[in-house]
Amino acid sequence: MPIWLPGLVVGATLLMLIGMVLGYTANTSGRVWRRRFEAERAHYADYRARCEAQRNMARPPLVPEAAPVPVPVPPPAPSPPPVLAEPPPISPPRAAPAPSPSPPPPSPRRELLRIEGIDDDIADRLEALGVITIHDLATLTPEDELALELRLGLNAGTITRDKWCIQAVLLDKQSAC
């Protein structure tokens, strides 16, 4: 190994270190980056504040308030027939009526419980908000889904994730057949 090689390596290393120090002190890109970062952070904080203010604004109800339904008054009971001295003759027993071919349609509350992800508690809250039948769920828009999730206190995206609307559309088509 020649005698001048270690001196050359030390000199090159020293020269490289001096160049790095001069480069870092002369470079302004670090300060520019920091200014850009602070401006972006301020802009995002302003955006968040505007979104929070918009979220806290009063929203119109998802389903308009319905007028109270009048309760029908039953007609007065007819007067009892006069009592006869002799009991009427006993007629032979009649045959039981034939069962109806189609079962009665399920109540709207039972319909909602057919959807996976809806339990009794959620069905009660949906009914209170005016979503009573499967058809009501099948016709929800994405905006209505989000508003419904907020009103029900569910996590955002729960209705989409559990596919309530898709299930409702399929069940609605099935019940229409």
Side-chain angles (χ1 to χ4, degrees):
M1 167 161 103
I3 193 138
W4 50 268
L5 188 61
L8 185 64
V9 171
V10 169
T13 305
L14 191 58
L15 188 61
M16 188 174 71
L17 289 174
I18 291 171
M20 284 176 51
V21 168
L22 287 175
Y24 282 134
T25 57
N27 189 0
T28 61
S29 65
R31 283 179 247 137
V32 171
W33 176 85
R34 182 151 185 91
R35 271 187 262 131
R36 286 183 185 165
F37 173 74
E38 289 170 352
E40 182 73 19
R41 185 172 47 188
H43 174 71
Y44 185 67
D46 179 51
Y47 172 74
R48 261 195 333 239
R50 282 187 284 134
C51 287
E52 283 295 321
Q54 187 177 8
R55 184 183 309 164
N56 293 333
M57 288 176 44
R59 289 196 173 104
L62 179 66
V63 179
E65 294 293 324
V69 179
V71 178
V73 178
S79 61
V83 179
L84 302 174
E86 291 181 23
I90 300 175
S91 62
R94 286 194 232 164
S100 63
S102 63
S107 69
R109 182 170 170 71
R110 291 289 120 201
E111 280 186 353
L112 289 177
L113 293 175
R114 291 172 60 193
I115 294 178
E116 255 183 67
I118 297 181
D119 58 3
D120 286 327
D121 180 44
I122 293 176
D124 289 338
R125 292 188 285 167
L126 281 170
E127 189 175 320
L129 291 173
V131 179
I132 299 172
T133 63
I134 285 181
H135 182 73
D136 295 337
L137 269 180
T139 57
L140 287 179
T141 64
E143 293 81 19
D144 290 338
E145 286 180 20
L146 183 59
L148 196 57
E149 288 168 345
L150 289 173
R151 300 256 170 120
L152 291 173
L154 300 173
N155 293 332
T158 300
I159 293 176
T160 305
R161 185 189 66 233
D162 291 347
K163 300 179 181 162
W164 289 5
C165 292
I166 295 171
Q167 292 179 58
V169 167
L170 292 174
L171 290 171
D172 194 31
K173 284 182 183 177
Q174 185 181 27
S175 66
C177 294

